[in-house]
Amino acid sequence: TAFDYAANIERAYSKDSPCQEVGCGCRAFLEEILLPFVRKSGFPVENFQGAFILDGVLNYNNTPGAQTVPEPDVFRTIPAFSNLYDEMVADGYRGNFIATIGRQKDVPLMSVFNKKFAQADSPQFKTRDVTIQHMDIFGPQAR
């Protein structure tokens, strides 16, 4: 799946946004497609542990400078992303990795993905783990 407006909440919820007419981003995917599918399948939703969203997975580019970072001074100060930023700088900003991003409780699921990915035995493809602190940015009113 690909997510439009997933990273820009202000734009996604502005009155002029197309997201007012159609669902945009990973929240819409989760609420409008994935969870209804899980419910229809008969699988208990409370047992659903997560999903792998492979957004941009085919955008491999090993050229130095291919990977850009929005506002690097801010990016590298965010605790979860500082190591990722340092690794990208050390590797010459190459777009040759998949960032596996999740919360602390998602680490076991991320580990399964990373293990399977490593079994492909393609050392040019790397994973970079980012564990973030969970924050409910939408608040209870969005539920």
Side-chain angles (χ1 to χ4, degrees):
T1 59
F3 298 123
D4 291 341
Y5 300 97
N8 190 325
I9 294 166
E10 181 179 315
R11 180 175 59 191
Y13 287 97
S14 74
K15 67 179 181 131
D16 297 326
S17 169
C19 296
Q20 297 300 315
E21 301 295 323
V22 297
C24 292
C26 57
R27 186 179 197 90
F29 174 74
L30 179 71
E31 292 175 352
E32 297 172 16
I33 297 172
L34 187 59
L35 288 178
F37 172 80
V38 169
R39 286 184 189 102
K40 283 183 182 179
S41 72
F43 186 82
V45 173
E46 62 273 9
N47 292 342
F48 181 74
Q49 294 183 16
F52 296 114
I53 309 300
L54 301 176
D55 184 22
V57 74
L58 296 177
N59 291 330
Y60 177 87
N61 188 337
N62 200 38
T63 306
Q67 183 71 43
T68 60
V69 177
E71 301 187 43
D73 290 337
V74 175
F75 192 85
R76 69 174 166 227
T77 63
I78 301 169
F81 290 95
S82 61
N83 288 342
L84 176 62
Y85 180 81
D86 292 342
E87 290 172 358
M88 288 177 7
V89 169
D91 198 28
Y93 291 98
R94 298 172 193 270
N96 60 2
F97 65 93
I98 293 177
T100 52
I101 303 170
R103 301 161 296 184
Q104 184 62 43
K105 70 180 190 176
D106 300 323
V107 167
L109 189 60
M110 291 166 44
S111 296
V112 169
F113 175 83
N114 290 339
K115 183 178 178 182
K116 291 293 185 184
F117 192 81
Q119 287 175 353
D121 199 26
S122 297
Q124 74 269 27
F125 304 121
K126 306 171 185 98
T127 57
R128 306 251 167 102
D129 299 335
V130 178
T131 304
I132 59 173
Q133 295 295 318
H134 175 68
M135 294 177 5
D136 188 354
I137 60 174
F138 293 100
Q141 72 280 2
R143 289 192 191 103

